[in-house]
Structures are given as structure tokens and as C-alpha cells.
Amino acid sequence: MFLHKTPGLIQWLYPSLIWKKKVKEKVIYLTFDDGPIPGLTEKILDILKENKVKATFFCVGDNLRKHPGIAQRALSEGHRLGNHSYNHLNGWQTNTLDYVSNVVRCQRELVDLENPEPQLLRPPYGKIKRSQIKHLKQILDIIMWDVLSGDFLASITKEQCLNKTIKATQPGSIVIFHDNIKAEKNVMYALARYITHFQNKGYTFQTL
């Protein structure tokens, strides 16, 4: 079953991971996973620029290697980049040494871009073993989420993607959209509408 809102029990079981931010203001932390992807990531950057919104992009290292110019654009426009492993690995299916090595490989790509703060990791699929957490939290903040848009699912409509993501969002929420091809239809419909909805309610969007 797909959940737009991460259950509090899961957050409680993994307290060393960052699920949302404690804030006093109306702030949302918009994040994107899987890019950079030519075309789609650039369209997302256009929407963010038009709406004066900053976001955090969790990048796959191999995509950074292939498309460094898109990542440089994101940095130059005030966004933040984070680590999403080099090959989008499922931590539950990968031994700890291989997983850590893959994350470190992605980290090198981020450093090569002169990314000023490459200290964030989001585990692909949200799947990471406690042994992997133990190794990686010494050097990286491990960022999860409390709102998952579901934009990558063919089983939900673009309207459901938008409305359920709005409903799940609270001040301090870390919200995931995706800059991958599976998500393109839903994210291109939902993103600008989502931003406008919350800006009209006095919210701002910040990087992590």
C-alpha cells in the first residue's frame, strides 16, 4: 500500500534519520530525486525559477557524470545538491561495503562540481540498513521524508498526486517529487500548482 504521509512509527524507529524539520514558520522543503535528466530536470528548474523557489536535488552519481551542466545550472540558481548513490542502489539488497563505496563514488561527483555543501544523502527507495546508517551518518546527514508525492506511480492520476500531496504537507515537511521519466506526467502537472497553493497560504520553500 502506498502512503503519501510517512507514519510516525517508522520515523520513531529510525530517529537518527531526518524525516522533517522542526520549524516555527510556514516552511516547506521541496526535494527531487533521481536526476539530473535532460529535458525534465531543466523544465523543473524553469518552474522553480519562475516561482522564485529553492529546492534540494538528490542526484544519481552516474547522471551527474553524464549531465554535469544541468547540475551546475541548479547550483548557480541557488539550489542544493545531495547524494542519491552512484547507481541508485537498494540498500536492503546491497552489502554494506558495496553500498558505502557506491555512495562515496557519488560524493566524488558532487565534489567535482564544486558543490559547496555535499553533505546530504537520500537512500534510493528509502531503503537503507542500520549497518549502512552507522557508517554513513558519520559523514552525511541522511535525509528521508514525511511526504511522498507518488508522482512516479502510473496507478494514480495527476490530480490525485497533487491533492494528496497538498493534504499530507505540514510546516517543516520534507516533500519528494522526482525528476525521472516515470514521474514526468504527474510532476509537470502537480509541481507549479502545488507551489502556488502553498505560496498563497503564506508558505516559503527552502533548501535543506
Side-chain angles (χ1 to χ4, degrees), residues 32 39-53 57 70 73-74 77 79 188 191-192 195:
F32 298 87
L40 179 54
T41 304
E42 293 160 312
K43 291 175 186 176
I44 288 171
L45 288 170
D46 289 342
I47 291 171
L48 298 178
K49 185 175 183 179
E50 182 178 347
N51 289 278
K52 298 180 173 60
V53 165
F57 288 80
I70 302 173
R73 176 187 166 185
E77 293 180 1
H79 305 292
M188 291 309 298
L191 181 57
I195 291 169

Side-chain angles (χ1 to χ4, degrees), residues 33-43 63 67 70 179-181:
D33 286 7
D34 298 347
I37 301 294
L40 179 54
T41 304
E42 293 160 312
K43 291 175 186 176
N63 288 337
H67 313 296
I70 302 173
D179 50 341
N180 68 34
I181 299 305

Side-chain angles (χ1 to χ4, degrees), residues 57-75:
F57 288 80
F58 287 93
C59 302
V60 172
D62 194 40
N63 288 337
L64 285 172
R65 178 187 64 81
K66 294 174 183 174
H67 313 296
I70 302 173
Q72 289 284 11
R73 176 187 166 185
L75 286 173

Side-chain angles (χ1 to χ4, degrees), residues 1-177:
M1 182 176 64
F2 173 76
L3 297 173
H4 284 269
K5 189 75 174 175
T6 304
L9 176 60
I10 294 177
Q11 299 181 42
W12 178 80
L13 287 170
Y14 293 89
S16 66
L17 310 184
I18 299 170
W19 298 92
K20 64 180 299 185
K21 293 279 193 175
K22 293 181 180 180
V23 297
K24 296 180 180 179
E25 302 83 17
K26 291 182 173 180
V27 178
I28 295 169
Y29 300 91
L30 200 56
T31 69
F32 298 87
D33 286 7
D34 298 347
I37 301 294
L40 179 54
T41 304
E42 293 160 312
K43 291 175 186 176
I44 288 171
L45 288 170
D46 289 342
I47 291 171
L48 298 178
K49 185 175 183 179
E50 182 178 347
N51 289 278
K52 298 180 173 60
V53 165
K54 305 304 180 189
T56 304
F57 288 80
F58 287 93
C59 302
V60 172
D62 194 40
N63 288 337
L64 285 172
R65 178 187 64 81
K66 294 174 183 174
H67 313 296
I70 302 173
Q72 289 284 11
R73 176 187 166 185
L75 286 173
S76 71
E77 293 180 1
H79 305 292
R80 190 171 182 188
L81 305 185
N83 190 318
H84 203 43
S85 83
Y86 193 86
N87 297 111
H88 204 267
L89 293 186
N90 183 326
W92 293 358
Q93 298 175 359
T94 310
N95 71 60
T96 295
L97 179 59
D98 288 345
Y99 188 84
V100 171
S101 296
N102 202 264
V103 168
V104 170
R105 187 179 180 191
C106 181
Q107 200 70 3
R108 293 194 191 104
E109 294 290 338
L110 289 166
V111 170
D112 286 348
L113 287 165
E114 297 183 1
N115 183 18
E117 299 179 295
Q119 302 135 325
L120 307 178
L121 168 68
R122 171 165 289 148
Y125 314 103
K127 296 180 177 179
I128 186 169
K129 297 175 183 176
R130 291 187 184 275
S131 58
Q132 296 160 352
I133 293 171
K134 181 179 179 180
H135 280 82
L136 290 167
K137 73 177 183 179
Q138 300 176 46
I139 57 171
L140 296 167
D141 291 332
I142 302 176
I143 309 294
M144 303 298 275
W145 62 86
D146 72 315
V147 179
L148 183 60
S149 69
D151 53 359
F152 56 92
L153 292 171
S155 59
I156 69 171
T157 67
K158 57 190 182 182
E159 292 84 6
Q160 287 173 323
C161 175
L162 172 62
N163 294 333
K164 289 182 179 293
T165 304
I166 287 173
K167 185 177 179 180
T169 302
Q170 298 173 327
S173 282
I174 297 174
V175 183
I176 299 184
F177 287 94

